[in-house]
């Protein structure tokens, strides 16, 4: 029943306040409300209680209930936790406003300053589950009815600021607009306090405001004096954001959003985009909110080719400056990308307007990101202490593809408010700072998966949010430099140019240490006498002995009789790479000739740093290799296996050239490799591939220095030269193959398939689908055609090898015996509770567990319907919020998988929109998690590439000094050599991390492939056997084989990672106990 219209002016002002969509409208309506009630704005928490007491209005009751529930939490002590604390918050962004809310609830006096006079940022923020619950608890649905009603959890920055602004106004925060905080004004004498320097001249009320807490949320461009900022650099990364007008037509509402698609695991989509439009992107995201919001990462060469950038400049500010960007070309660029991504279903795209009335489109650089070294400081002068805290972008600039900005920003706001509470309780400055820094250490590691699952319990107390909380991780003694009696020098920006700024643990150190270790490892082998790091290795026996010590069984010492020095050395280099994960940096010819002593020392130092902690015994070094080489070794084996598989399926001779060591056939490896390996160890590389002795790049012919050498197929390359011949993408471990015909290297996307048409590189216009769910069903994964790494090409019916999977196989039996119709004799389950999780589990009882295809139970549907009819929430508004809370609740993986399968194979979802929205939301969230993971990996890979390049440049200088300064003192040469070995170890450490990341990339790609193949296979399985054609049956067998291949590869990687994890646990101190 509709409520009667109110004639009370305060009620009208309150309704205007709720519905206001512009910053100035919010402020004017709130002033009108306060005037109608006879109150003065900015009166602190008592003002809220007065408004609530005087505004006896039905529309406000639900909002008061929510705010009262939050304020009644014990941590706030009924608004008396910080009654004498005066705070200044700089910046009215989401994080500054959220911090102001918490400080107000603690009872502090809060003044907020903001240089802008309106909210105009349409860009959309991804929300974690706890942020959704947190904002709902503050009345977000009351202020913004469409809050999180789509299939993705997000909100525009403008809407988020508006709803938080309304909350802080109600809680009595004093706000000053159009003024800029420029710095601190220390107390001039004893008894006075800290003030703010404001531009332009501030009103007397603000100019005379003395505070003891400053919270800076002014963004990454402003960090208060005294804080040190660290720069994290990666490769050039150009982001583009664009907002189009959302007309909210029926057609627009039906266009599915894109939670994120990345080139790193879905290359075919971007190849289709490039072919159709000429646009080359790394990723793209599409959210639907107040606007149609797209954000993408574009490649610089593409922008130059399409005329978006006028000229290529090395300085990023100049490259993306307004004078170098062509607005019309940029608009055409984003329109084409958006049209392609949405299949043109958004119709004519009209640009939304920014604060200056221009099209809301922006190109920005996120090559480097800033991170404050500390989250808080204390300054003291004339006995007046000031606590300074950072939140938001000035604390940590977020990497936008991860969607972590607002979530971690809110966590930092909570942590900062907790710090203020501890400050008000009288805790010592060093104790407060130590606790804050302990929490700051957790911030960059947080994700929805590693925080407390029950988001409803989240509060100001860190223990309610962080499962692994240690507030004493940082000691008071460690933060003494954060306590300034007088402010120190201005902000310092320390460039974190290499990840290996600190000396790498396990560096080989001096030549003497390395020589002594080599002598210990090769002792006792006949004919091996290591006296130096050059001539002692020329005959190859010492190197073979070292490999045998670390991996017995590959070759017996007696088998070396009759072998030449070059053959023995080549074998040892090959085995070290294939069985130990030690990549060569020197050729066999150079070792035998003694022409590259520095290269040999660097190579031996890799053995030392990897295996120096392995006990010296005649048996195998270790079955689970040290972490620095395990991932490198595994990827190498996996890559060679895939290469041989491709060659076998193409009918090629996989034996390669004639083996040069007969002993190889007699002495196979005793270790079962992580990936299937041939029983015959690989042959040494042919001599022509070693002609340059590692001094020249095999592609460009330029000089190669030790740290620059990248070895592939026995040849050495510059890292920048080693690219895919087709797309020129950087080739990384496990992500490339060599074409047996032309000998060139390609990424798997473009690796030619002899004798077959290429499926992967050019899927064509029909394969341009994005990973978005179909309207009528829940897909198991993206519908994008993805290049199948390591899998077979389309089988030929005439090939006998294609009859590996028969109808009599266990897999075929299980698939053909699926029961897809309801069982009339199925015992009805008990009446389920009103819980999506419980309903899902009970609805799936009796399903075919092996393949997850359930039998629909009519009794469950009836029970659920009866339960829904009997349930009667107190109001329509509460019922709606209850349903939305259920949609966003966390499901365990088993229930979620079961629910998704139930949705795909039953027709009940359309009858229950809440369930359907829940499934859509969780499916999108899973896509978002995969996208965020891929982007985090890609960002780290770019950082590693940048760091390795800087190490190579530094190593080149040191190597040149060593080679040219023959007259330098021996002590100076020894220092240079030690420096070179340290750089080698740093690079090896980074390359080992790169290999670990490439395993993650491989898993992501295989997951995407499995989703695609599984979905396509289900289409055939759902057909009646009587209507299947021979071509259908053949395609079904091919898909089943492909699925098994993908699952096998995933299983190999997961098993390897688990073995590594268990090995690391066993090697920790105290593990034996």
């Amino acid at each position: 029943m509709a409520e009667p219209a109110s004639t009370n002016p305060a009620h009208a002002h309150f309704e205007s306040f709720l519905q206001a969509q512009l910053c100035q409208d919010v402020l004017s309506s709130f002033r009108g409300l306060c005037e109608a009630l006879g109150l003065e704005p900015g009166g602190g928490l008592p003002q809220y209680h007065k408004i609530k007491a005087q505004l006896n209005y039905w529309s406000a009751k639900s909002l008061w209930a929510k705010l009262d529930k939050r304020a009644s939490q014990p941590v706030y002590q009924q608004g008396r936790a910080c009654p004498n604390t005066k705070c200044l918050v700089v910046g009215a962004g989401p994080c500054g406003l959220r911090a102001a809310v918490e400080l107000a609830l603690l009872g502090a006096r809060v003044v907020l300053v903001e240089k802008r006079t309106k909210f105009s940022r349409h860009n959309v923020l991804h929300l974690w589950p706890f942020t959704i619950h947190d904002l709902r608890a503050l009345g977000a649905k009351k202020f913004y009815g469409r809050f999180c009603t789509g299939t993705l959890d997000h909100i525009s920055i403008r809407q988020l600021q508006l709803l938080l602004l309304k909350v802080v106004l109600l809680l009595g925060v004093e706000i000053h607009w159009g003024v800029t905080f420029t710095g601190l004004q220390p107390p001039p004498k004893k008894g006075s306090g800290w003030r703010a320097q404001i531009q332009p001249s501030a009103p007397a009320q603000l100019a005379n405001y003395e505070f003891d807490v400053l919270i800076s949320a002014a963004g990454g461009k402003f960090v208060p004096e005294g804080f040190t900022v660290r720069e994290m650099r990666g490769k050039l990364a150009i982001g583009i954001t664009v907002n189009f007008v959302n007309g909210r037509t029926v057609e627009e509402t039906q266009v599915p959003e894109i939670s994120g698609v990345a080139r790193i695991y879905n290359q075919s989509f971007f190849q289709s985009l490039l072919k159709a439009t000429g646009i080359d992107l790394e990723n793209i995201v599409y959210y639907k909110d107040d606007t149609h919001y797209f954000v993408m990462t574009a490649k610089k060469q593409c922008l130059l080719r399409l005329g978006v950038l006028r000229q290529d400049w090395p300085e990023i500010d100049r490259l993306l400056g307004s004078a170098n960007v062509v607005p019309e070309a940029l608009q055409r660029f984003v329109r084409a990308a958006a049209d392609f991504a949405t299949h043109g279903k958004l119709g004519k795209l009209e640009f939304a307007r920014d604060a200056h009335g221009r099209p809301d489109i922006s190109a920005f650089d996120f090559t480097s990101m800033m991170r404050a070294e500390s989250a808080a400081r204390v300054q003291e002068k004339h006995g007046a202490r000031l606590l300074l805290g950072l939140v938001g972008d000035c604390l940590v600039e977020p990497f936008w593809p991860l969607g972590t900005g607002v979530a971690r920003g809110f966590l930092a706001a909570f942590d900062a408010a907790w710090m203020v509470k501890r400050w008000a309780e009288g805790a010592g400055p060093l104790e407060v700072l130590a606790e804050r820094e302990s929490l700051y250490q957790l911030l960059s590691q947080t994700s929805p998966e590693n925080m407390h699952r029950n988001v409803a319990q989240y509060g100001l107390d860190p223990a309610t949010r962080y499962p692994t909380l240690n507030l004493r991780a940082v000691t008071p003694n460690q933060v003494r430099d954060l306590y300034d009696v007088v402010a120190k020098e201005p902000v310092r920006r320390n460039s974190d140019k290499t990840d290996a700024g600190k000396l790498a643990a396990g560096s080989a150190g001096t030549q003497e240490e390395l020589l002594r270790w080599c002598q210990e490892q090769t002792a006792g082998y006949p004919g091996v006498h290591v006296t130096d790091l050059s001539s002692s290795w020329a005959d190859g026996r010492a190197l073979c002995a070292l490999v045998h010590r670390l991996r017995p069984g590959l070759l017996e010492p007696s088998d070396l009789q009759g072998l030449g020095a070059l053959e023995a050395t080549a074998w040892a280099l090959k085995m070290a790479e294939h069985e130990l994960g030690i990549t060569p940096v020197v050729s066999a010819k150079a070792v035998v000739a003694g022409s590259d002593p520095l290269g040999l020392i660097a190579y031996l130092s890799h053995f030392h740093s990897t295996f120096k902690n392995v006990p010296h015994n005649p048996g195998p070094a270790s079955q689970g290799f040290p972490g620095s080489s395990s991932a490198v070794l595994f990827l190498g084996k996996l890559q060679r296996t895939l290469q041989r598989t491709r060659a076998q399926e193409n009918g090629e001779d996989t034996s390669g050239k004639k083996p040069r060591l007969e002993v190889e056939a007699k002495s196979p490896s005793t270790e079962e490799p992580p990936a299937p390996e041939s029983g015959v160890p690989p042959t040494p590389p042919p001599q022509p591939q070693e002609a340059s002795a590692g001094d020249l790049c095999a592609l460009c012919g330029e000089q190669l220095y030790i740290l620059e050498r990248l070895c592939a197929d026995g040849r050495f390359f510059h890292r920048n030269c080693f690219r895919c011949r087709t797309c020129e993408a950087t080739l990384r471990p496990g992500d490339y193959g060599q074409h047996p015909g032309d000998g060139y290297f390609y990424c798997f996307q473009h690796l030619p398939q002899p004798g077959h048409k290429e499926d992967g590189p050019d899927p064509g216009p029909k394969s341009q689908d994005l990973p978005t769910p179909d309207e009528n069903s829940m897909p198991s994964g993206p519908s994008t055609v993805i290049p199948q790494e390591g899998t077979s090409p389309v089988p030929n019916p005439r090939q006998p090898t294609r009859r590996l999977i028969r109808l009599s196989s266990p897999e075929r039996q299980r698939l053909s015996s699926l029961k897809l119709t309801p069982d009339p004799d199925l015992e009805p389950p008990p009446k389920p509770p009103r819980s999506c999780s419980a309903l899902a589990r009970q609805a799936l009882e009796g399903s075919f567990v092996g393949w997850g295809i359930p039998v629909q139970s009519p009794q469950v549907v009836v029970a659920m319907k009866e339960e829904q009819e009997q349930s009667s929430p107190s109001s329509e508004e509460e019922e709606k919020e209850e349903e939305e809370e259920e949609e966003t609740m966390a499901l365990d993986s088993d229930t979620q998988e079961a629910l998704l399968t139930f949705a795909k194979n039953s027709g009940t979802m359309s009858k229950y929109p809440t369930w359907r929205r829940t499934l859509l939301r969780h499916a999108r969230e899973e896509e978002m998690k995969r996208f965020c993971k891929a982007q985090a990996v890609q960002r780290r890979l770019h950082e590693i590439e940048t760091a390795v390049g800087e190490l190579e440049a530094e190593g080149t200088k040191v190597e040149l000094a060593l080679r040219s300064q023959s007259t330098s003192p021996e002590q100076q040469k020894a220092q240079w050599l030690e420096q070179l070995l340290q750089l080698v170890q740093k690079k090896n450490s980074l390359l080992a991390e790169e290999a670990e990341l490439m395993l993650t990339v491989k898993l992501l790609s295989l997951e995407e492939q499995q989703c695609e193949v599984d979905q396509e296979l289900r289409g055939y399985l759902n057909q009646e056997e009587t209507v299947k054609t021979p071509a259908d049956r053949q395609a079904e067998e091919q898909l089943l084989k492909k699925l098994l291949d993908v699952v096998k590869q995933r299983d190999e990687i997961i098993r390897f990672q688990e073995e590594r994890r268990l090995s690391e646990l066993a090697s920790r101190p105290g593990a034996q106990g």
Side-chain angles (χ1 to χ4, degrees):
M1 180 177 179
E3 295 287 339
S6 173
T7 58
N8 190 326
H11 296 177
H13 285 301
F14 183 76
E15 285 297 333
S16 299
F17 175 71
L18 289 182
Q19 304 302 324
Q21 290 297 298
L22 296 175
C23 182
Q24 293 303 324
D25 292 344
V26 172
L27 297 174
S28 61
S29 59
F30 185 73
R31 280 195 298 268
L33 175 64
C34 290
E35 289 174 3
L37 298 177
L39 301 174
E40 187 69 27
L45 200 57
Q47 171 200 281
Y48 163 71
H49 294 295
K50 293 176 183 177
I51 293 176
K52 184 178 68 170
Q54 296 184 40
L55 190 65
N56 187 19
Y57 182 37
W58 67 270
S59 181
K61 290 181 179 179
S62 60
L63 179 60
W64 304 149
K66 287 183 176 296
L67 295 178
D68 285 347
K69 183 177 180 181
R70 179 77 186 193
S72 65
Q73 292 182 9
V75 70
Y76 300 116
Q77 300 176 21
Q78 298 297 320
R80 293 188 291 271
C82 305
N84 301 315
T85 304
K86 297 180 180 180
C87 305
L88 177 69
V89 178
V90 180
C95 298
L97 290 168
R98 190 63 189 86
V101 169
E102 292 303 309
L103 294 173
L105 290 172
L106 286 169
R109 182 186 175 187
V110 185
V111 175
L112 187 147
V113 295
E114 169 58 48
K115 64 181 180 181
R116 297 182 178 88
T117 57
K118 57 183 176 181
F119 299 148
S120 57
R121 291 186 289 174
H122 294 109
N123 292 357
V124 180
L125 302 171
H126 175 67
L127 299 178
W128 289 5
F130 95 85
T131 54
I132 298 171
H133 186 276
D134 178 68
L135 291 170
R136 280 204 176 109
L138 294 177
K141 291 292 291 183
K142 193 72 177 176
F143 300 123
Y144 182 49
R146 289 193 295 270
F147 178 71
C148 285
T149 54
T151 56
L152 287 173
D153 298 325
H154 52 64
I155 187 172
S156 71
I157 298 177
R158 192 181 72 85
Q159 286 292 349
L160 181 55
Q161 286 177 288
L162 282 173
L163 70 88
L164 288 174
L165 172 63
K166 295 173 183 179
V167 175
V168 299
L169 288 172
L170 288 173
L171 295 179
V173 174
E174 179 183 326
I175 303 180
H176 295 269
W177 300 92
V179 293
T180 302
F181 175 85
T182 59
L184 288 168
Q185 182 179 330
K189 58 182 180 179
K190 195 171 183 64
S192 57
W194 293 81
R195 299 182 182 180
Q197 296 177 357
I198 301 292
Q199 293 291 339
S201 57
Q205 182 182 7
L206 178 60
N208 297 326
Y209 178 58
E210 294 183 349
F211 48 88
D212 47 15
V213 174
L214 171 68
I215 302 296
S216 176
K221 301 298 181 183
F222 176 79
V223 179
E225 184 178 334
F227 284 90
T228 302
V229 178
R230 177 185 178 194
E231 181 183 16
M232 301 292 293
R233 293 196 62 83
K235 287 178 62 179
L236 176 65
I238 300 175
I240 298 177
T241 61
V242 59
N243 287 278
F244 297 105
V245 173
N246 186 353
R248 305 192 186 279
T249 64
V250 175
E251 293 77 12
E252 288 175 292
T253 59
Q254 293 176 347
V255 178
E257 296 174 289
I258 304 171
S259 58
V261 56
R263 178 186 290 272
I264 199 169
Y265 63 82
N266 192 347
Q267 297 178 10
S268 61
F269 165 76
F270 295 96
Q271 288 290 60
S272 301
L273 173 64
L274 178 61
K275 181 179 179 181
T277 66
I279 294 175
D280 202 4
L281 299 179
E282 290 288 345
N283 52 50
I284 188 169
V285 173
Y286 162 50
Y287 289 156
K288 195 184 313 179
D289 207 87
D290 283 350
T291 60
H292 296 293
Y293 170 70
F294 291 84
V295 58
M296 60 200 80
T297 302
K299 294 188 176 182
K300 181 181 71 172
Q301 293 304 322
C302 168
L303 296 175
L304 289 167
R305 175 169 45 82
L306 296 179
V308 177
L309 300 178
R310 289 188 170 92
Q311 193 171 347
D312 188 3
W313 296 103
E315 303 87 3
I316 297 177
D317 290 342
R318 195 172 181 185
L319 179 70
L320 298 180
S322 57
N324 198 45
V325 177
V326 181
E328 298 78 11
L330 181 57
Q331 292 173 23
R332 289 194 299 269
F333 183 96
V334 296
R335 270 201 175 106
D339 269 331
F340 182 89
T342 58
H343 307 286
K345 294 181 180 178
L346 289 178
K348 185 178 179 181
L349 294 169
E350 179 184 350
F351 289 102
R353 299 290 163 172
D354 63 14
H356 305 286
R358 298 175 300 210
D360 194 351
I361 177 173
S362 173
F364 62 97
D365 162 57
F366 59 100
T367 302
S368 64
M369 295 179 295
M370 301 299 179
R371 174 187 175 89
E373 292 283 6
S374 59
R377 300 185 71 85
V378 172
Q379 294 185 8
E380 180 178 345
K381 189 171 184 181
H382 295 307
R385 291 175 177 171
L386 175 67
L387 177 64
L388 300 94
L390 304 180
V391 299
D393 289 1
C394 64
L395 179 63
V396 180
E397 282 187 328
F399 181 46
W400 72 260
L402 302 187
T404 58
V406 69
R408 290 179 179 167
F410 276 22
L411 291 174
F414 295 155
D415 295 339
W418 175 260
M419 172 184 70
V420 174
K421 179 177 183 294
R422 297 280 291 129
W423 179 263
E425 289 172 348
L430 293 179
E431 183 181 353
V432 170
L433 291 172
E435 284 192 6
R436 181 67 189 96
E437 295 308 309
S438 299
L439 291 172
Y440 185 35
Q441 289 185 348
L442 297 175
L443 186 64
S444 61
Q445 307 168 21
T446 54
S447 69
E449 289 73 35
N450 62 18
M451 297 182 66
H452 279 308
R453 303 291 292 176
N454 184 10
V455 297
Q457 75 174 8
Y458 282 24
L460 198 61
D461 188 342
T464 63
R465 294 176 272 122
Y466 304 116
T468 57
L469 179 65
N470 179 11
L471 291 176
R472 293 182 175 84
V474 177
T475 64
N477 193 49
Q478 293 175 288
V479 295
R480 289 188 177 277
D481 61 323
L482 303 181
Y483 185 11
D484 300 330
V485 177
V486 178
K488 294 182 180 178
E489 67 274 9
V491 60
R492 304 181 300 274
R493 295 185 180 270
N494 293 342
S495 178
D496 183 38
K497 292 188 176 179
T498 67
D499 288 27
K502 300 177 182 178
L503 291 182
S507 173
T510 63
Q511 289 187 72
E512 290 75 13
E513 182 184 353
L514 176 59
L515 178 59
R516 186 165 53 252
W517 181 81
C518 290
Q519 290 172 335
E520 292 174 355
Q521 296 300 315
T522 57
Y525 284 88
V528 177
H529 302 286
V530 175
T531 58
D532 55 32
L533 297 175
S534 55
S535 60
S536 298
W537 306 83
D539 61 0
R541 294 179 180 275
L543 202 54
C544 289
L546 182 60
V547 172
H548 181 268
R549 175 74 73 187
L550 299 171
R551 182 56 60 83
L554 291 178
L555 179 69
E556 293 301 323
S558 59
D559 294 329
L560 291 174
Q561 300 295 329
L563 289 181
L566 185 61
E567 288 182 325
T569 303
W571 178 88
L573 291 173
K574 199 78 170 181
M575 288 301 99
E577 180 181 9
H578 289 190
E579 301 297 334
L580 298 176
I582 305 295
T583 306
V585 293
V586 64
S587 67
K589 279 192 173 183
V591 174
V592 173
S595 60
D596 191 9
L598 286 179
L600 178 60
I601 293 174
Y603 181 59
L604 293 174
S605 73
H606 195 177
F607 280 91
H608 175 261
S609 60
T610 302
F611 296 105
K612 68 175 183 178
N613 294 323
V614 175
H616 177 69
N617 57 64
S622 174
Q623 294 301 320
F625 300 108
S628 61
S629 63
S630 291
V632 176
L633 174 63
F634 180 87
L635 282 174
K637 287 179 176 289
L638 183 61
Q639 182 166 317
R640 291 188 293 275
T641 300
L642 295 178
Q643 188 81 1
R644 283 197 300 273
T645 302
R646 288 173 180 269
Q648 290 171 355
E649 291 174 348
N650 290 321
E652 298 171 5
D653 181 10
T654 60
S655 61
K657 299 188 178 183
K658 184 178 179 180
R660 301 181 60 200
L661 291 179
E662 296 296 332
V663 72
E664 289 176 1
K666 303 176 185 177
S667 307
S669 170
T670 58
E671 181 210 11
E672 181 181 352
E677 277 282 87
S678 171
V680 180
T683 61
Q687 288 193 33
Q689 295 177 338
E690 300 175 355
S692 66
D695 290 332
L696 300 179
C697 175
L699 285 175
C700 71
E702 297 294 328
Q703 179 73 36
L704 263 177
Y705 296 96
I706 293 172
L707 264 81
E708 294 178 326
R709 296 174 189 173
L710 184 151
C711 182
D713 192 38
R715 292 176 288 175
F716 293 99
F717 306 87
H718 287 108
R719 192 175 176 91
N720 287 336
C721 295
F722 195 60
R723 297 177 178 272
C724 173
R725 180 167 172 78
T726 300
C727 66
E728 297 187 353
T730 300
L731 297 178
R732 294 189 173 94
D735 195 34
Y736 68 88
Q738 185 180 19
H739 188 254
D742 59 21
Y744 288 106
F745 295 93
Y746 298 83
C747 65
F748 281 129
Q749 172 75 11
H750 297 114
L751 184 61
Q753 300 292 335
H756 295 274
K757 292 183 67 177
E758 295 181 26
D759 306 319
D762 265 319
K766 294 183 180 180
S767 302
Q768 297 171 3
D769 295 340
L770 285 172
T772 53
D774 183 76
E775 290 181 6
N776 301 318
S777 66
M778 283 297 302
S780 59
S783 56
T784 314
V785 177
I786 301 173
Q788 305 299 316
E789 300 180 16
T791 57
S792 308
V794 178
N796 187 328
R798 291 172 292 182
Q799 292 180 351
T801 56
R802 292 309 172 188
R803 300 186 61 81
L804 293 174
I805 306 299
R806 301 179 183 278
L807 290 174
S808 58
S809 67
E811 293 84 5
R812 188 66 174 159
Q813 289 177 3
R814 296 177 74 184
L815 289 173
S816 61
S817 62
L818 290 176
K819 187 175 182 181
L820 302 175
T821 56
D823 187 349
D825 299 326
L826 185 67
E827 182 179 354
K831 185 176 180 179
R834 184 179 172 81
S835 164
C836 185
S837 177
L839 285 169
R841 290 185 180 281
Q842 295 188 13
L844 289 168
E845 285 185 356
S847 65
F848 189 83
V849 179
W851 288 85
I853 300 182
V855 177
Q856 180 182 340
S857 173
Q859 291 87 349
V860 171
V861 177
V862 171
M864 182 187 71
K865 187 173 181 180
E866 291 176 355
E867 186 68 22
Q868 286 183 342
E869 290 173 353
Q870 293 177 9
S871 176
S872 56
S874 58
S875 70
E876 183 180 344
E877 182 178 321
E878 291 177 7
E879 180 180 14
K880 189 173 181 180
E881 286 212 26
E882 182 181 338
E883 289 181 355
E884 290 172 355
E885 287 281 357
E886 188 178 64
E887 290 172 28
T888 57
M889 69 180 180
L891 298 178
D892 62 81
S893 58
D894 293 338
T895 303
Q896 183 170 329
E897 182 66 26
L899 202 52
L900 287 171
T901 307
F902 179 60
K904 284 185 284 188
N905 295 276
S906 67
T908 60
M909 286 298 101
S910 59
K911 300 178 183 178
Y912 303 100
T914 299
W915 275 29
R916 187 171 186 275
R917 288 197 302 270
T918 301
L919 292 171
L920 284 170
R921 186 181 299 277
H922 283 284
R924 298 286 193 179
E925 286 298 324
E926 288 304 309
E927 290 179 4
M928 172 62 75
K929 288 177 185 177
R930 185 163 67 244
F931 174 73
C932 291
K933 190 174 185 179
Q935 293 307 114
V937 168
Q938 189 168 26
R939 172 71 189 189
R940 184 58 188 149
L941 287 172
H942 287 171
E943 290 176 352
I944 289 175
E945 189 170 347
T946 301
V948 167
E950 292 166 350
L951 283 175
E952 290 174 353
E954 188 177 351
T956 298
K957 295 178 182 177
V958 176
E959 184 177 348
L960 285 172
L962 274 169
R963 293 184 186 275
S964 61
Q965 300 296 328
S966 57
T967 60
S968 299
E970 289 300 319
Q971 185 178 1
Q972 178 65 63
K973 289 183 179 180
Q975 290 177 353
W976 282 335
L977 181 58
E978 184 171 353
Q979 186 179 355
L980 182 67
L981 295 180
Q982 289 174 352
L983 293 174
V984 168
Q985 178 57 22
K986 293 173 187 178
K987 180 182 177 182
N988 290 336
S989 177
L990 289 175
L991 294 183
E993 184 184 355
E994 180 185 54
E996 294 282 357
L997 294 172
M998 289 308 299
L999 282 179
T1000 304
V1001 171
K1002 188 72 176 175
L1003 273 178
L1004 289 170
S1005 180
L1006 291 172
E1007 287 172 9
E1008 192 79 3
Q1009 290 182 47
Q1010 184 173 347
C1011 287
E1012 176 205 349
V1013 176
D1014 178 74
Q1015 184 179 359
E1016 193 173 352
L1017 181 61
R1018 286 180 185 276
Y1020 286 105
L1021 294 178
N1022 290 336
Q1023 292 182 13
E1024 293 289 341
E1025 285 293 329
T1026 56
V1027 300
K1028 288 184 181 178
T1029 65
D1032 290 338
R1033 293 188 175 89
Q1034 181 185 351
E1036 187 176 333
E1037 287 191 6
Q1038 294 169 4
L1039 286 172
L1040 181 57
K1041 181 182 183 303
K1042 187 181 293 185
L1043 181 62
L1044 294 175
D1045 286 342
V1046 172
V1047 171
K1048 182 178 180 181
Q1049 290 183 51
R1050 286 189 65 189
D1051 179 64
E1052 293 284 358
I1053 297 176
I1054 293 171
R1055 184 172 59 191
F1056 164 76
Q1057 291 179 329
E1058 180 63 14
E1059 289 174 354
R1060 266 273 309 277
R1061 186 185 68 83
L1062 294 176
S1063 176
E1064 290 173 357
L1065 287 175
S1067 64
R1068 289 179 181 175
Q1072 297 299 325

